[in-house]
Amino acid sequence: MTEALRQINERRRHVLGGMGDRWRALPRWQRWLTLLAGVAFLYYLPFLGDIPGTNLIIPGLDWFRTDSIDGGANWAGVLFVCALYVLVAVGLNVVIGLAGLLDLGYVGFYAVGAYSVALFGSAESPVVGALQEQFGLSSDWAIAWAICIPIALAFSLVAGVLLGWPTLRLRGDYLAIVTLGFGEIIRIVAKNSGWAGEAQGVPGIPGPEGPPSPDNKVFGLLDIKPWYWLALSVVLVMVLLVRRLEHSRVGRSWLAIREDEDAAAVMGVYPFKFKLWAFAIGAALGGFSGLLFASRSAFIQPETFNVQLSILFVAMVVVGGSGNMAGVAVGAFLLAYLPERFRDFSEYRVLAFGLALVLIMLLRPQGLLPSRRRTRELQDRAKEPANVA
Amino acid sequence: MLPKQKTSPEDAAKPEVLLEVDGVTLRFGGVVALDDLSFNLYKGEILGLIGPNGAGKTTCFNAMTGVYRPTSGAVRFDGQQVSGRKPHRINQMGIARTFQNIRLFPEMTALENVLVGADSQHRTSVVGALFRLYRVKPKPEELPTVDSANGLVRLWQQVRRSSAQVFGISRHTLEERAGERKAYELLSFVGIDDRANDLARNLPYGYQRRLEIARALATEPKLLCLDEPAAGFNPAEKEELLELIRKIRDRGFTVLLIEHDMRLVMGVTDRIVVLEFGKKIAEGAPAEVRDNPKVIAAYLGEPADAA
Ligand SMILES: Nc1ncnc2c1ncn2[C@@H]1O[C@H](COP(=O)(O)OP(=O)(O)OP(=O)(O)O)[C@@H](O)[C@H]1O
Ligand SMILES: [Mg+2]
C-alpha cells in the first residue's frame, strides 16, 4: 500500500473508529431512546419524504427514493429487498464474521428456504400435487404459510448441518470451495428435478394471507410496504437473537476458536460443535430470508439462485465489516440500494459497482464499520509474513 | 481449602494414582520424540518433568492432552483411557494445561480468557443461550438488587426483582454471573486482577503467563500441567511463581511442572522425572535426582539454557 493510501486509511479510522466507543459511553436510557427512534425511522422508511396521512412532504428526503428517478424501481420493493439482504448478511455474518468460516455457497440455504415454502405451500407445486393425489385432497389444498415457516427453517437448518458435518474439518480455502460447490448443487438439482419444478420453477407460492391473489388485502401484489414491514420485523427479532448468542458463552467460544482453535479445544471448547452450530444458525437465517423472498415473489425459478448472488452476499459482509452486525447490515443495505438508486448510469452500473468494491477493499480492507477485534486480527495476519521473512 | 498432606510414594502407605503414562511412544516421521515412556503421577503431588531442550517434555504434554495421539502406549487418567479422546473431552475429564509459547486469546480481555475456561463447566449451550427458557429459582443473594435513589429506576428494579422471584432467572444468566465471579476470583488468586479488563495482548509478559494459569484453573481440573511457566522470568519473579504453584497445590490441585531451571524444580517439586531423547533416565525425590550421574551428564552436555 502506498503512503498516501495508508494516511487516508488512518484518518478514516479516526472518523469512524471511535464511533462504537462514543456509542457505548452514552447513558443507557439515551442509547435506548436512540435505538427506538432508529427503529421507528426504519418503519417509516417506505414513506420517506412524505408525512403519512397528510399531503405534506419533507423537501429533500425525496432525493433518496429510488422512484425519484425516471423508470426507478418501486421504493418499498427496494426496501423489501434491502431487508432480505440484511437478514442474509446477519446470518452469513454468524458464519464468516463470528465463527470465521468462509462460506461461498450461502445462496444454497437461501434457495432451500425459498423452495421449502414453494414446494410445501403452493397448491401448484409437484410435491403438494403428489400429496393431494395420495390423500385425495382437493386441488387447492396446500400447507399453510405459517406452518411452512418452521418447515423452511428446519430444512435449511438440516441442510446446514448436512453440509457442515463432513466439511467443517476442512480449513480455510478448502471449505470455501466445497461450499461454493454446494450452492451450485442445490441450484442444479432444483433445475433438473421434476419434484422441484425443473427450470420453469414453482408458481403460486403463498404469503401470510394465503396463495397470491388480487383479493389479498394486506400482503398484496402491488403495495409492497407490508412486505417490507414484515421483513423488517423478522430482521429485528433475528438481530436480537443473534446478539444474545454473541454476548454469551457461544460468542466467546466462536471468538476463541477464531483466535486459536487448538488452545480453545484444550480449554474444553469443542470447536466442531460450535462451528456446526454457526453453520446451522447461519443456514436457518438464510433460509428464512429465502422464504420471505419466495412468498413475496409468488414464483421462483432455479436460475435466481446463482453463484453471483452468493458472491454478492459475501461482498455485503466483507464490505460492511465482518464480525460487526451493524456493519454487515449497512453493507447489505448499500449493496442492495445503491445500484437501484443510480440506475441512470444503466450500463456503467456494474462497472461502477465493481470499482466501488475494489476501492473499498483498497482503502478499508476491514470493511466500512468493522469489528475492532476483526480489524486487529487482519492487521496481525498482514504482519505475519513480514515476521517470518 | 486446607493444605493437603504431601503424599509422595515414600511417606504415604498407598498413594492414589491420578495419571498413568504407560509405555508411550510418539514418532514424528523419523524422530522418536517419546520412547516407551512410563511414569505415574499421584494425587496431590507436584511432579517435575525436566530434561534438556528437545527431550520431549512438551510432546509428553501434547500426548496427554489430546493434541497428539501416541504412536503406541496409553495414557490413563483417573482409571480412564485418555489417549484417543478429543482435547475438549480430556479437559472435561480433568486435565488442564498451559503452553510453553503463550497461547492466550489475544483479542479477548483477561477476564474473557478466564471465562472461556469457566464455560467448560457450564451446562447452558447454544439453545439455552439463544432462548433462555430454562429457569432456575435464584438464591436470595442472586436476586437483582433494589438500590437506586431515582424513583423511576427504583420502580424498574423492583419489577425486575419480583419477576425474578416469580419466574426465576435463566440458567444462562446465573451461569454467566457465576462464571464472572469465578473469573475475578481466579484473576486475583494469580495476582493480576488489576488488569482484568485489558486485552490479553496488551498485558505484560509476566501477566500473560499468570493469565494462562488462571484460564487453565477455571476449567476446574484435577491435574494442572504447566509448561515452563517461569520461562523468561527473573529470579524474583520466579520466586513469586513458586509461591503461586505451592498455593495451587494447597488448593487441592495436582501439578505437573515442566521446567528447565533445576533450582526452581528442586524448590517446589515432590518428585522429579527426567527425560532425555524421549526416554526416562531418572525418577525420584529431588535430592536423589540431582545427584544421579546420568542426569548430571545430560545437563552438562547441554549447559546454560536456564534463561
Ligand atoms: N510437531 C512436530 N513435528 C515434528 N517433530 C516434532 C514436533 N513436535 C516436536 N518435535 C520434535 O520432538 C522432539 C521433542 O520436542 P519437545 O518440544 O517435546 O521438547 P521439549 O523437551 O519440550 O524441549 P524444550 O525444552 O525446548 O521445550 C524434538 O526433537 C522436536 O524437534
Ligand atoms: Mg517444550
Side-chain angles (χ1 to χ4, degrees):
Chain A
M1 212 192 297
T2 66
E3 190 52 32
L5 275 184
R6 186 156 45 230
Q7 274 174 10
I8 295 173
N9 225 343
E10 265 315 300
R11 220 167 307 138
R12 301 216 161 172
R13 200 165 298 148
H14 282 295
V15 177
L16 285 174
M19 226 155 72
D21 282 336
R22 257 173 279 159
W23 168 249
R24 276 181 287 273
L26 288 178
R28 208 185 159 106
W29 63 273
Q30 285 186 12
R31 274 186 289 169
W32 271 106
L33 276 186
T34 319
L35 276 181
L36 222 62
V39 168
F41 179 72
L42 288 178
Y43 277 96
Y44 162 77
L45 262 184
F47 297 111
L48 193 67
D50 302 336
I51 300 174
T54 68
N55 283 328
L56 302 171
I57 59 159
I58 308 167
L61 281 185
D62 210 38
W63 184 87
F64 291 98
R65 299 175 62 120
T66 49
D67 48 11
S68 64
I69 52 175
D70 273 347
N74 180 307
W75 174 227
V78 170
L79 286 176
F80 175 70
V81 174
C82 288
L84 290 187
Y85 284 6
V86 169
L87 187 54
V88 164
V90 166
L92 191 53
N93 182 47
V94 172
V95 182
I96 296 184
L98 299 183
L101 306 163
L102 185 50
D103 182 352
L104 293 182
Y106 200 63
V107 76
F109 303 121
Y110 190 69
V112 169
Y115 267 96
S116 300
V117 65
L119 294 179
F120 290 102
S122 162
E124 295 159 59
S125 91
V127 170
V128 168
L131 288 174
Q132 288 165 352
E133 211 166 295
Q134 184 79 28
F135 298 104
L137 300 158
S138 76
S139 65
D140 54 2
W141 176 90
I143 295 174
W145 184 78
I147 300 174
C148 286
I149 296 180
I151 294 180
L153 287 180
F155 268 93
S156 36
L157 202 91
V158 168
V161 172
L162 285 184
L163 174 63
W165 196 272
T167 55
L168 283 178
R169 291 162 223 272
L170 304 174
R171 292 199 185 188
D173 305 344
Y174 299 104
L175 180 68
I177 290 175
V178 173
T179 52
L180 187 67
F182 166 77
E184 282 295 273
I185 287 171
I186 296 279
R187 179 176 66 83
I188 292 167
V189 167
K191 192 172 163 185
N192 293 299
S193 305
W195 54 264
E198 294 183 325
Q200 297 90 292
V202 185
I205 301 168
E209 281 177 299
S213 110
D215 305 334
N216 287 347
K217 293 220 168 44
V218 183
F219 293 93
L221 299 169
L222 294 177
D223 184 10
I224 311 175
K225 287 199 284 293
W227 288 99
Y228 165 67
W229 287 322
L230 173 69
L232 177 61
S233 310
V234 172
V235 167
L236 292 176
V237 171
M238 293 303 160
V239 164
L240 283 181
L241 286 178
V242 173
R243 256 186 73 86
R244 278 190 156 189
L245 284 181
E246 217 180 323
H247 296 264
S248 73
R249 70 167 294 192
V250 183
R252 264 197 306 273
S253 302
W254 282 330
L255 180 53
I257 293 167
R258 238 165 59 207
E259 299 226 70
D260 190 333
E261 186 169 334
D262 300 324
V266 170
M267 291 305 133
V269 178
Y270 188 15
F272 180 69
K273 172 182 146 185
F274 283 99
K275 285 180 179 179
L276 195 61
W277 268 110
F279 235 64
I281 290 165
L285 289 174
F288 207 152
S289 187
L291 172 143
L292 291 173
F293 164 77
S295 292
R296 153 78 190 103
S297 319
F299 163 66
I300 53 169
Q301 302 175 274
E303 283 316 312
T304 315
F305 307 100
N306 51 21
V307 187
Q308 283 95 312
L309 205 51
S310 257
I311 302 301
L312 179 72
F313 290 165
V314 175
M316 298 184 316
V317 171
V318 175
V319 165
S322 94
N324 182 8
M325 234 185 324
V328 300
V330 168
F333 176 81
L334 290 180
L335 291 199
Y337 164 80
L338 289 180
E340 289 299 336
R341 175 61 188 77
F342 296 101
R343 259 194 185 193
D344 306 355
F345 302 99
S346 53
E347 61 249 53
Y348 297 114
R349 201 165 61 151
V350 181
L351 181 67
F353 187 73
L355 266 179
L357 285 188
V358 171
L359 270 181
I360 288 177
M361 284 300 96
L362 271 178
L363 294 173
R364 214 172 156 73
Q366 67 275 41
L368 295 172
L369 291 178
S371 131
R372 181 160 328 165
R373 283 173 166 154
R374 273 304 227 178
T375 311
R376 271 190 305 253
E377 281 169 25
L378 280 177
Q379 285 165 358
D380 282 358
R381 227 159 279 163
K383 263 185 248 149
E384 263 163 26
N387 287 346
V388 170
Chain B
M1 214 177 281
L2 281 170
K4 283 210 167 177
Q5 283 259 290
K6 273 197 182 182
T7 47
S8 61
E10 283 80 9
D11 54 44
K14 231 184 167 190
E16 199 179 335
V17 176
L18 185 63
L19 178 91
E20 189 184 351
V21 176
D22 183 7
V24 169
T25 300
L26 210 154
R27 285 200 196 90
F28 296 109
V31 181
V32 184
L34 295 178
D35 189 355
D36 195 20
L37 177 68
S38 301
F39 65 88
N40 283 350
L41 188 76
Y42 300 94
K43 222 167 228 171
E45 75 174 341
I46 301 180
L47 179 73
L49 186 61
I50 67 171
N53 280 120
K57 307 180 294 290
T58 302
T59 306
C60 178
F61 268 28
N62 286 337
M64 281 164 46
T65 52
V67 179
Y68 299 142
R69 200 187 171 133
T71 316
S72 67
V75 180
R76 277 180 290 276
F77 181 76
D78 244 2
Q80 278 177 297
Q81 184 85 12
V82 161
S83 19
R85 291 191 199 234
K86 295 218 160 62
H88 73 279
R89 285 282 304 125
I90 296 174
N91 174 271
Q92 281 157 14
M93 287 168 71
I95 304 183
R97 68 173 286 185
T98 65
F99 295 88
Q100 181 171 0
N101 48 341
I102 301 176
R103 287 176 76 170
L104 291 163
F105 308 120
E107 285 302 324
M108 291 186 173
T109 64
L111 190 73
E112 285 171 324
N113 266 278
V114 183
L115 274 172
V116 170
D119 284 338
S120 70
Q121 296 298 311
H122 290 166
R123 297 179 47 212
T124 303
S125 189
V126 180
V127 178
L130 195 55
F131 298 112
R132 308 189 183 173
L133 294 178
Y134 190 99
R135 301 258 149 188
V136 181
K137 208 165 171 51
K139 300 191 198 85
E141 70 269 19
E142 285 169 340
L143 285 170
T145 49
V146 180
D147 54 5
S148 175
N150 182 324
L152 218 59
V153 178
R154 201 178 163 80
L155 185 69
W156 173 240
Q157 287 178 331
Q158 253 148 8
V159 169
R160 283 187 29 148
R161 187 179 169 91
S162 7
S163 91
Q165 272 162 338
V166 178
F167 302 112
I169 299 181
S170 76
R171 184 172 72 192
H172 167 267
T173 311
L174 286 181
E175 285 186 344
E176 200 79 354
R177 287 188 203 148
E180 220 158 285
R181 277 196 303 273
K182 176 163 134 191
Y184 269 117
E185 196 266 329
L186 280 170
L187 286 176
S188 78
F189 176 71
V190 300
I192 59 171
D193 50 331
D194 54 325
R195 303 282 295 266
N197 290 312
D198 287 15
L199 290 185
R201 65 187 303 138
N202 296 335
L203 293 176
Y205 177 78
Y207 273 54
Q208 295 193 355
R209 283 251 174 245
R210 283 159 180 270
L211 178 54
E212 269 216 319
I213 297 177
R215 183 180 67 173
L217 285 177
T219 66
E220 291 181 13
K222 292 178 198 145
L223 168 63
L224 178 66
C225 304
L226 302 172
D227 197 345
E228 303 203 21
F233 278 9
N234 65 32
E237 290 168 331
K238 279 187 179 171
E239 196 44 52
E240 282 175 40
L241 192 86
L242 280 189
E243 205 38 57
L244 177 63
I245 293 175
R246 286 195 198 98
K247 259 171 45 187
I248 289 172
R249 192 261 303 274
D250 291 347
R251 274 190 155 204
F253 297 99
T254 307
V255 180
L256 178 56
L257 173 69
I258 292 184
E259 187 45 66
H260 249 129
D261 186 343
M262 279 282 241
R263 278 216 334 276
L264 192 81
V265 199
M266 299 294 157
V268 69
T269 49
D270 301 313
R271 280 189 321 123
I272 293 179
V273 169
V274 190
L275 293 186
E276 193 187 17
F277 301 124
K279 283 198 187 71
K280 181 171 83 177
I281 57 169
E283 177 174 5
E288 295 167 28
V289 166
R290 189 183 44 206
D291 300 330
N292 186 319
K294 274 196 199 158
V295 178
I296 295 170
Y299 265 81
L300 283 182
E302 204 247 15
D305 57 310

